[in-house]
Amino acid sequence: MSKTASKRPDPGIAGSPGEPGLARRFAATRALSEALVAPLSEADACLQSMEDASPAKWHLAHTTWFWETFLLRDRRAGYRLFDDRYPYLFNSYYEAEGARHARCARGLLSRPSLVEILEWRAVVDRAMEDMLDDPALSLLIELGIAHEQQHIELLLTDIKHALFQNPLGPQMWESAPGPCAGGACAGGAEMGWHAHPGGVARIGHDGEGFAFDNEGPAHRVLLEPFTLADGLITNAEWDQFIADGGYRTASLWLADGWAWVNENAITAPLYWRGAERFTHTGWRERDPNAPVTHISQFEADAFAGWAGARLPTEFEWEAIARGQDAEGTPAAHDANAGNQLDRATPPDPRGGGDLFGDVWQFTSSAYLPYPRFRVAEGAVGEYNGKFMSGQSVLKGASCASVRGHSRASYRNFFYPHQRWQFTGLRLAKDL
Amino acid sequence: MSKTASKRPDPGIAGSPGEPGLARRFAATRALSEALVAPLSEADACLQSMEDASPAKWHLAHTTWFWETFLLRDRRAGYRLFDDRYPYLFNSYYEAEGARHARCARGLLSRPSLVEILEWRAVVDRAMEDMLDDPALSLLIELGIAHEQQHIELLLTDIKHALFQNPLGPQMWESAPGPCAGGACAGGAEMGWHAHPGGVARIGHDGEGFAFDNEGPAHRVLLEPFTLADGLITNAEWDQFIADGGYRTASLWLADGWAWVNENAITAPLYWRGAERFTHTGWRERDPNAPVTHISQFEADAFAGWAGARLPTEFEWEAIARGQDAEGTPAAHDANAGNQLDRATPPDPRGGGDLFGDVWQFTSSAYLPYPRFRVAEGAVGEYNGKFMSGQSVLKGASCASVRGHSRASYRNFFYPHQRWQFTGLRLAKDL
Amino acid sequence: MSKTASKRPDPGIAGSPGEPGLARRFAATRALSEALVAPLSEADACLQSMEDASPAKWHLAHTTWFWETFLLRDRRAGYRLFDDRYPYLFNSYYEAEGARHARCARGLLSRPSLVEILEWRAVVDRAMEDMLDDPALSLLIELGIAHEQQHIELLLTDIKHALFQNPLGPQMWESAPGPCAGGACAGGAEMGWHAHPGGVARIGHDGEGFAFDNEGPAHRVLLEPFTLADGLITNAEWDQFIADGGYRTASLWLADGWAWVNENAITAPLYWRGAERFTHTGWRERDPNAPVTHISQFEADAFAGWAGARLPTEFEWEAIARGQDAEGTPAAHDANAGNQLDRATPPDPRGGGDLFGDVWQFTSSAYLPYPRFRVAEGAVGEYNGKFMSGQSVLKGASCASVRGHSRASYRNFFYPHQRWQFTGLRLAKDL
Amino acid sequence: MSKTASKRPDPGIAGSPGEPGLARRFAATRALSEALVAPLSEADACLQSMEDASPAKWHLAHTTWFWETFLLRDRRAGYRLFDDRYPYLFNSYYEAEGARHARCARGLLSRPSLVEILEWRAVVDRAMEDMLDDPALSLLIELGIAHEQQHIELLLTDIKHALFQNPLGPQMWESAPGPCAGGACAGGAEMGWHAHPGGVARIGHDGEGFAFDNEGPAHRVLLEPFTLADGLITNAEWDQFIADGGYRTASLWLADGWAWVNENAITAPLYWRGAERFTHTGWRERDPNAPVTHISQFEADAFAGWAGARLPTEFEWEAIARGQDAEGTPAAHDANAGNQLDRATPPDPRGGGDLFGDVWQFTSSAYLPYPRFRVAEGAVGEYNGKFMSGQSVLKGASCASVRGHSRASYRNFFYPHQRWQFTGLRLAKDL
């Protein structure tokens, strides 16, 4: 591309939970979206490498459509759309909002240009200014911010997948020193466990602060005694699985997973090549002590069985994350420690103290509605509910998640074969 | 075909739960498999209309392979296989048993002939005679019987699908008078409900009698208050859903369901054509009061939402079926009342008294392992566990199920788009 | 299957050119169709192994539909169809005859049964009796006979392909001693050549005797000097091509052919396995001196280039076959010597004397209309003309062709990747 | 995009045949390639809308690879490649040049950037300067120029197809006044014909001036008497074909064409929408008197039959273009009159005087080697010969062809279903 690799933006600018004002978090989120696109050329920003992924420019536009549609158009008298043709182009999947451009053809939208999209963003941002302090809109604005934060993560994972297709192995950012230095790195540390005696656990969002509709209603779930690892599975451990023939042993796999392995000739996590892995800073040597990432639920499940363990349920994970009745004392229930994407030096996969962190963690739970879940009226009701079929729940957060975006009740979801997100694995066992 | 439509065999010969002896039930099950194939020509018995389905002859052979492999070969010294080449042809999906014929090509096995398969069956049956009284083998024999009963149901649904492809609309049996006559038919009866106050319910097989591994371990589940319909949704009710634009209203559907509807141009249940439906006795006028059948989980879910209700979870269904803490008094927890396949006159979809009966009922539950579920060692361990991904649980039994085959803890499972089984719908609501 | 392999019918009963009467040839052709099906079970006769192929029973029915439609229905007052539903089932591709059963689903027609089709054939044959002497119908009857002869060859190649899919390797006939015995076999004989000085050649059918419309109008073509091999390429020669890396050398292949080789992992002719080939009499050792067969035009072209030669044009082949201006003296211009399907002992691929014989020979010519070719009015006009796109011309005849069916002007045609016919190769060179 | 529509470059700069020097034509061709890309954004230049098409940037790069590989690398001692990784990215289909990037993934090459490709072009152009006067290289340089001219046409047709996918209907250039003005436009003029008495015609390139290998060797062909239209079929005539049900009448179509029409729901030429057509200057009203374009050979063939005519053979077309033995006196045999892409006002489709001009004209001839055609040694031998299967010959030139690029012996070729080139139709008839 015409740009040289630049420094990665500080994810902190998206606003941490400690920053109160909606207006400030709105601005920070909007700015982060744009900062991430800064190193991309016009062509980079238009790439779509598979139907699951979208171009970076499209993410910038779609998030803007969300604000323009559900806030400006719906809640502000007299607002005129920036361009009448944009809703057709940038609606993602909201049937209630009418016909839209085919998902698989988003990469063919060389126009509107990146500059035009940025102009649109500026216009929408200015128009939003007056609305950000309206208490009647605060929930919708929280949703808009959370929505854009989700697309920030998708933008990062989608562009990584797109650049990976290029034999030149382009880098989006220069390599940056990671937060983890010196002897603090716990590679090789022994795995600890958080035991839980079982019993009734309180699950789901309890009403304080913003949460997506799929995190509620809060309810009780009966758990059997179990224990949850305090660390994530590492690259070194995954290498052992491979060396032991994990990808060639049918008995380790779910039937659908075994078919997927064979049809796609899967032999390693996505982005692995020899001793390297592809990152936003290009091809890098893998750190054996870093958490394994870019694995599918099928792979996670096979590994867990090979290791004599299993995936946790989403309820088990949440119970430990909340510190309910558990022997261990996990502190965090509100956030990932920070967005630490593709660090040259990995974080400590064992030192945790909390369950969030570097990778989304596949659970064994299907993504289904909680008891008494109701889909909201109107287009916004399509946000989560209609995807409750065939997908699985992931808990935690990843290095690509915006700081403060996740929480103990957060339910991410993907199909069992998908692995272009920063997905990893934390083991559980029966007690 | 060269045979004229014949009378349908009495499913009672498969042995009801009251019949004690394994040997007697073994014989009855084996005989029922063969009786069902009697009206088929050699070509009928070789038909495979889609990859999900298998030829009738293949079912006869595969069930025989199961006995020959896991009983005669594994447990009987000196047994020699009837034909060394058959395991390759008739292993279904047991990776531990080695390579096998491609599933999609089962319909190309014009040989061995039906006669040769029946000869094999006779040889295996004779060899089995000595083993049927061995207590050490009784669990494995129970599994073999249950396995063959499952294939009996598949044989019936697969041949129905195959004959449906023929523009001549061939009939497998002559039309038979149904068990339901006169004013006893409850068409138009008002729907009753079984209310449940919520709380801890005991779920899963408790160890008495045979059950599949996926029905256990028994464990407790917390339920919210709910109510379950005492009747099944009828054809007449489904007609209303269609008339109200159900298949054209995106907001009623799960996203995957809506894609399925559009890609496959779905506008009605499978086998519907005008006011008729295709049955084993050919094209028949639909009875408005009969339970709707041959619907996918996607359709069931859309209908339920349209009706202001929802699908039950598998746990809710089981709790009512067991009569736990419920206001209604459902009697049955051990069987469907009888195999009443494609009756000209339908059963009473409202009169129930039990939840079993004419159709398998889609629940909202994903087919996942129960807590502490362990896959058994060896090939038999592949029976159920490896399919615990992407599928949904159905409860009850159908008119094609062998009498006595099902029970309250029974977990049938199919993908959400599949509908060539006798699948239907029972509504639930929150209380 | 339930039948044991039987003796192969004598193809001579189809009537040689020396047999004058239409009635006699009609009867012989109809009888040959049925004789070929005799060793097949009901299930064998229903097999369809790919969309290009049709079930044997379907061939029996389709040819009967042809007689019933174009002779009995169109030309005989008061004739009533045997079954009103059959035209929908057994029309192959005649748009003018209305909608029809999907080609890919012919294998799902387990009914009407083989017996029912044979009854239909008998009824049609009797009804045809009065018409066979009507001079006004003789051309149409000739067409019907030629049509049924083509389907006899297709029946043989289609059932071979279907039985090949069966891991049991079933045999349709017992092995029969071939016509070629003792020292007469010319394996290893040196290749001779028929030289031609070039100039104007007369091409196409000249009006005496029956020919398909695509063989005319007769016209002149300018040829450059060339020479045509007097023998066919043998299995031994093909083994050398393989040993020399022919299937791995991109430069030998047309671009479409190279793509085909790689997408389908082609490494040998169809039906080859180790040192064997699959035949109607099961798996047999390959004779190195037998003509290679079951090759695509892509393979034929690659081999020819590897051998320093090329494929002949259809015009060159015909000129030599007619003996026009050639130094050699090829005798035959009217027939293949006989239907010698899958002989245990091969014919002499070098001894020829004529160009017909064991395999259809791919030419380099595209299948296109001759100058002034006109498609006939009505459904019969769809017989050949509409296929003049994308296919290539083959000349000669094969061991599966009915004796007397071919001639020098005969133009067989298939797509360049197809090879389930008895296709082989005769080289040509420029002079 | 970030650029506004600009004026279209003058195609004359590519050098007309009157301009002698290779160096000058080299420079003009290289400059034209770049001038055409000038109005494109970085993202526009990276678009790939289907596997048949390539990104504009890729065309700039691939043509440069051709010069660098076959001239600089092969013929200049000590030349070092600009970038060792580029051959893998920008080799199109030359097997002899080794592995290469998948064709379908060219649109994912956001890098190297357009600027980097232009830098490479400049370096290669400078390096080429010394070689352009070397007589030993002149044939190879002529090939390189012709090659780049072919890619100029592909660049134009590929970017048109890509922009067409965008619902915004972007325009690449401002609308420009066309060369044809006033009463000279012959819309509605009566069709004239060039009659030919038949006989021996001289076909193929005769050795003077550059020609592709596939245009020779020159040889004689026997023609039957025929006549060729002096005008092209117009949009108005095509509208009549549509109005008469042309796309719904099976009997007009080749079997493969009819399948293509139905599978793709074809009802009009590509780029038609209502009364408009998509052009490089956006959506424009169709001129009824302009030649129809963007039709497949299937459509051309169906139209010709509907009109009581047929497609010409490539030999008939060439004989008339050369003025051999014809009653008419077509002047041109060396060029299309000029590159008049997407003119607002159409050229005169009847006034011709020559057969070249606005659209490539489908013939009925398959693209096959001429007698004694030999593929050249080495990678350059892959240029034309390996595509001689399954494609059809088009004659003439189009408004997107570089001036002077075509000639009477020129053989363009595409598959019968392809129509994103500027393809049209000239009728022929038997005499």
Side-chain angles (χ1 to χ4, degrees), chain D residues 176-201:
Chain D
C180 174
C185 269
E190 206 170 324
M191 180 94 79
W193 296 85
H194 299 293
H196 189 292
V200 173

Side-chain angles (χ1 to χ4, degrees), chain A residues 1-2 44 110-111 113 166 170, chain D residues 1-2 44 110-111 113 166:
Chain A
M1 65 177 168
S2 56
D44 293 334
S110 61
R111 314 184 197 184
S113 69
N166 193 321
Chain D
M1 65 175 168
S2 56
D44 293 334
S110 61
R111 315 182 196 185
S113 69
N166 193 321

